[in-house]
Amino acid sequence: QVHLVESGGGLVQPGGSLRLSCVDSGTIKYHMGWFRQAPGKQRELVAAISSDGKIYAGASGSGRFTISRESAANTIFLQMDNLKPEDTAVYYCNSRGTFIGGSYYRNPNIWGQGTQVTVSS
């Protein structure tokens, strides 16, 4: 069984910031990524990061979100700045996906539970 642990979601006013974290307890480095899903919409890629720290930015939150990882560990972060109401969604961590042609392809079997981000005044 592989379990990802996510944290950092919450309620924030427009223009505010949040920092999400996710941990995969595996013993080697993995490619990992952040996705989000709003009610009635498809789950979409926010950003992904390779096992060596190379970043792939998806369309969601472009220019306002930054993905990073802890050295020598499968811990990733999503720094979200200048949040907008349309960023409201459940944010999911994915691990052990694949980079092909510069794009991240999620592992359909390894997801976090999701953490709710609500942006409202």
Side-chain angles (χ1 to χ4, degrees):
Q1 300 271 56
V2 178
H3 299 284
L4 306 182
V5 180
E6 302 177 355
S7 63
L11 174 65
V12 65
Q13 294 184 346
S17 298
L18 287 172
R19 188 172 188 250
L20 310 182
S21 64
C22 173
V23 181
D24 181 335
S25 61
T27 58
I28 64 172
K29 291 184 177 180
Y30 303 106
H31 306 319
M32 301 176 72
W34 287 102
F35 292 74
R36 70 181 183 185
Q37 187 168 22
K41 297 184 178 180
Q42 296 287 333
R43 188 171 298 186
E44 61 182 358
L45 175 69
V46 177
I49 188 165
S50 75
S51 60
D52 292 327
K54 183 170 65 178
I55 296 172
Y56 175 82
S60 302
S62 181
R64 298 182 293 113
F65 297 176
T66 303
I67 190 170
S68 62
R69 71 183 302 143
E70 191 172 278
S71 62
N74 289 305
T75 300
I76 64 169
F77 307 93
L78 184 68
Q79 179 67 43
M80 302 185 291
D81 297 316
N82 192 25
L83 284 161
K84 302 177 180 180
E86 53 263 41
D87 294 318
T88 296
V90 177
Y91 285 70
Y92 296 92
C93 178
N94 184 261
S95 188
R96 313 189 190 190
T98 305
F99 271 103
I100 301 176
S103 299
Y104 180 78
Y105 293 85
R106 83 283 188 273
N107 185 318
N109 303 124
I110 306 179
W111 293 97
Q113 290 290 109
T115 184
Q116 178 71 49
V117 171
T118 301
V119 185
S120 176
S121 61

